[in-house]
Amino acid sequence: MIAKVLSAYHVGIEASTVEVEVDLTPGPFHYVTVGLPDAAVKESQNRILAAMKNSGFEPPIKKVIVNLAPADVRKEGSAFDLPIALAMLSAQGIIKKGGLKDVHAIGELALDGRVKPVRGILSVALSVKRTKGAVLLVPADNAAEAAVVEGVPAIPIENLAQAVGFLNGEISVPHALTPPPKSRAVSEDDLDFSEVRGQHHVRRAVEVAAAGGHNILMVGPPGSGKSMIAARLPTILPSWTLEEAIETSRIHSVAGLLTRDAPMLSARPFRAPHHTVSDAGLVGGGHNPVSPGEVSLAHYGVLFLDELPEFRRSALEVLRQPLESGHVVIARANSTVSFPARFMLVGAMNPCPCGYSTDPARECKCSAVEIRRYKRKISGPLLDRMDIQVEVPAVKFHELKSDGAESESSADVRKRVEAAMERQSARFARSRIYRNAEMGNRQIKSFCKIGPESEQLLKLAMERLGLSARAWSRTLKVSRTIADLAGSYEIKTEHVAEAIQYRAVDRQL
């Protein structure tokens, strides 16, 4: 007898339907799985048979053929345990005829029959939503995550016996009901920009970066507050939309980072990998190409790279493609996976190996050759992609001693940032662009027009600072953001002058 139930597999963050078919044929016991299963799927035989026995069901003593269709796509992981077990029980007649109609199931089985959580449930729920009348059986620990998607009846399953009782109509299991949390821009940590002492020009640069989604590089001695300012940057980013929150949460779901208590991200992500991170850890891939990297986990948020020159040169260079395109493409011999990666890059570095070449109070012990070698660790193409580059000097004593009453709070700064973002949303309403930093040549030509005086100033800056064509276009984008913060439709000379100021580090590096 043949029985069938639906499940799902992932390609990147997208989930596609899998038909799980089980055929029981009289004869000596023999169990085989076909449909390009990986080792974890092949090992499911022992988990499934033990779970059936320990749940009070007699395992079949027949020839068992399990087919996972489509057969030309590799199936990975342990999420097919539950659907295979249900199809097998249906083929035995333990689950009533028609009990698996319009049922999607996913979950890993423990040996005692418990259903354990798996990754990527949010994407599976979005996939099931496209099927009218479908019911989704999920592990109880994943139910809140599945319930984030409205219109999908997510049934929390604790164990195999409960799943059989529900499908036979013997017991009632209420749908999981978890409304999506309210989106916020501020992280859970109690951080605020009012805690930053001094560094007024750096605070201004960070505000401009947040308003336009611009990448920013901070250069200064140790202890000047670079990491402190970067950690507070998410608190001034605009509140994200529900669509942005769901898309980012899908990436974290595939990575297995969501929990039962937090089934969806409530704040923009802030990722700060250590400088020893590998290329695969940064952009994704490795031996398992479906694993998203830090650039994707920072989608619609901030990727902070502290001690930038200490990162591997190869790791920094792979950032160039996602910075331009907003997504990562991981190509392998038998598959190509794409992950979204629309993030804001924030880098921090010292001006020299010891860190004190620009500090008037400390003596630098580095030679000119060492300083030059240290700065050359950051390639020109990557530096070009840092729209804003700002020096962060050491904080003076009287600034540290102040109570910070003159410092604006994150809420005050965020109001200006959100007002600037509203202007950008209206400007790009008919395109797929959301921020000034994402503008292409056509948009720059339309929205970044400058007068003769500003054009002459920009020409002089390019000649004296040796700016590239990419740096020229990014300076115009930053000028557009500064004008948006000022509420000006026109880009004025003072806006261009401020944007040029943020390229001063180019010449030093």
Side-chain angles (χ1 to χ4, degrees):
M1 182 178 177
I2 297 178
K4 182 180 75 171
V5 68
L6 299 176
S7 189
Y9 70 96
H10 292 94
V11 179
I13 65 168
E14 299 297 331
S16 298
T17 301
V18 171
E19 289 187 356
V20 179
E21 299 176 306
V22 172
D23 179 49
L24 301 182
T25 305
F29 176 77
H30 179 66
Y31 189 110
V32 61
T33 304
V34 296
L36 287 182
D38 72 345
V41 178
K42 291 179 180 178
E43 291 174 352
S44 66
Q45 168 189 343
N46 298 318
R47 292 194 299 271
I48 292 169
L49 295 177
M52 291 174 64
K53 177 176 66 70
N54 293 322
S55 298
F57 305 113
E58 191 66 31
I61 308 177
K62 297 181 179 181
K63 182 179 180 181
V64 181
I65 300 177
V66 178
N67 179 42
L68 306 177
D72 60 343
V73 179
R74 187 164 184 81
K75 317 303 186 305
E76 300 173 336
S78 57
F80 298 107
D81 289 6
L82 178 61
I84 292 175
L86 294 178
M88 197 178 300
L89 291 168
S90 179
Q92 290 180 275
I94 296 175
I95 294 178
K96 295 178 181 179
K97 186 176 181 179
L100 294 180
K101 184 181 178 181
D102 297 327
V103 171
H104 291 66
I106 190 167
E108 178 185 337
L109 288 176
L111 298 183
D112 59 359
R114 288 178 296 109
V115 181
K116 303 174 69 174
V118 295
R119 301 180 179 186
I121 291 295
L122 189 52
S123 293
V124 173
L126 288 168
S127 176
V128 172
K129 186 178 181 179
R130 296 191 286 266
T131 305
K132 292 183 179 180
V135 175
L136 177 60
L137 272 60
V138 297
D141 287 343
N142 292 133
E145 183 182 336
V148 168
V149 182
E150 295 182 1
V152 177
I155 309 300
I157 300 299
E158 296 280 357
N159 53 64
L160 184 58
Q162 183 190 32
V164 173
F166 171 78
L167 295 172
N168 285 335
E170 299 168 356
I171 61 174
S172 176
V173 181
H175 300 172
L177 297 174
T178 303
K182 296 181 180 179
S183 62
R184 298 180 296 108
V186 187
S187 65
E188 294 292 342
D189 298 325
D190 188 18
L191 303 177
D192 197 275
F193 250 87
S194 61
E195 300 165 347
V196 178
R197 300 290 183 264
Q199 308 295 18
H200 299 291
H201 72 291
V202 183
R203 289 165 55 96
R204 168 63 177 178
V206 170
E207 179 181 339
V208 173
H214 301 287
N215 304 319
I216 181 171
L217 174 64
M218 295 181 286
V219 182
S224 56
K226 302 185 295 294
S227 299
M228 181 182 185
I229 293 172
R232 283 153 181 77
L233 196 154
T235 68
I236 65 171
L237 292 177
S239 300
W240 57 357
T241 64
L242 181 60
E243 290 75 17
E244 291 175 333
I246 289 178
E247 185 173 347
T248 308
S249 297
R250 289 173 68 187
I251 302 171
H252 286 247
S253 175
V254 170
L257 299 179
L258 298 183
T259 65
R260 186 171 187 167
D261 297 329
M264 181 177 168
L265 296 180
S266 59
R268 293 183 183 272
F270 178 83
R271 305 292 299 183
H274 192 260
H275 62 77
T276 56
V277 66
S278 65
D279 299 9
L282 198 58
V283 298
H287 297 295
N288 186 2
V290 300
S291 298
E294 292 291 339
V295 297
S296 296
L297 295 173
H299 187 52
Y300 288 131
V302 175
L303 176 66
F304 177 47
L305 302 183
D306 199 8
E307 303 296 343
L308 193 63
E310 301 302 328
F311 285 78
R312 293 187 181 92
R313 180 69 176 261
S314 59
L316 294 179
E317 293 306 304
V318 296
L319 290 175
R320 288 157 59 176
Q321 184 240 343
L323 284 173
E324 289 292 333
S325 63
H327 64 273
V328 173
V329 178
I330 304 168
R332 293 293 183 267
N334 58 353
S335 65
T336 299
V337 179
S338 178
F339 289 107
R342 199 179 296 273
F343 60 94
M344 180 179 170
L345 177 61
V346 179
M349 61 179 287
N350 297 328
C352 65
C354 77
Y356 299 110
S357 65
T358 60
D359 190 345
R362 302 288 294 270
E363 180 183 359
C364 176
K365 300 180 181 179
C366 306
S367 66
V369 174
E370 290 174 330
I371 295 176
R372 188 161 54 249
R373 186 185 300 118
Y374 178 78
K375 291 179 177 179
R376 283 180 177 175
K377 292 181 179 180
I378 312 299
S379 69
L382 180 61
L383 192 61
D384 271 352
R385 289 170 171 82
M386 306 301 289
D387 300 359
I388 296 176
Q389 302 157 18
V390 61
E391 286 191 77
V392 185
V395 184
K396 298 179 181 178
F397 176 76
H398 72 274
E399 294 173 330
L400 287 173
K401 189 178 178 181
S402 68
D403 59 3
E406 77 287 353
S407 298
E408 288 184 295
S409 67
S410 294
D412 294 333
V413 179
R414 189 166 62 252
K415 289 178 182 178
R416 293 195 297 270
V417 170
E418 289 180 338
M421 285 296 297
E422 288 177 3
R423 298 184 182 95
Q424 295 170 58
S425 298
R427 181 182 303 129
F428 305 128
R430 297 183 180 181
S431 67
R432 301 182 65 181
I433 295 175
Y434 302 97
R435 306 174 298 180
N436 288 333
E438 300 169 6
M439 286 191 290
N441 292 331
R442 183 179 301 177
Q443 289 80 21
I444 292 175
K445 187 176 181 179
S446 299
F447 304 121
C448 299
K449 296 177 181 179
I450 58 177
E453 185 178 349
S454 299
E455 189 172 335
Q456 184 62 28
L457 179 63
L458 188 54
K459 177 184 176 182
L460 184 64
M462 288 190 66
E463 293 173 352
R464 292 194 175 181
L465 297 178
L467 302 181
S468 66
R470 182 183 289 111
W472 170 80
S473 65
R474 290 179 180 268
T475 301
L476 286 176
K477 294 179 187 180
V478 174
S479 301
R480 178 68 270 171
T481 300
I482 295 171
D484 288 339
L485 281 169
S488 173
Y489 175 81
E490 176 187 357
I491 298 178
K492 300 178 181 179
T493 304
E494 59 263 29
H495 304 149
V496 176
E498 182 179 352
I500 292 173
Q501 172 189 316
Y502 297 138
R503 303 298 308 192
V505 180
D506 250 335
R507 189 171 184 178
Q508 299 178 24
L509 297 180

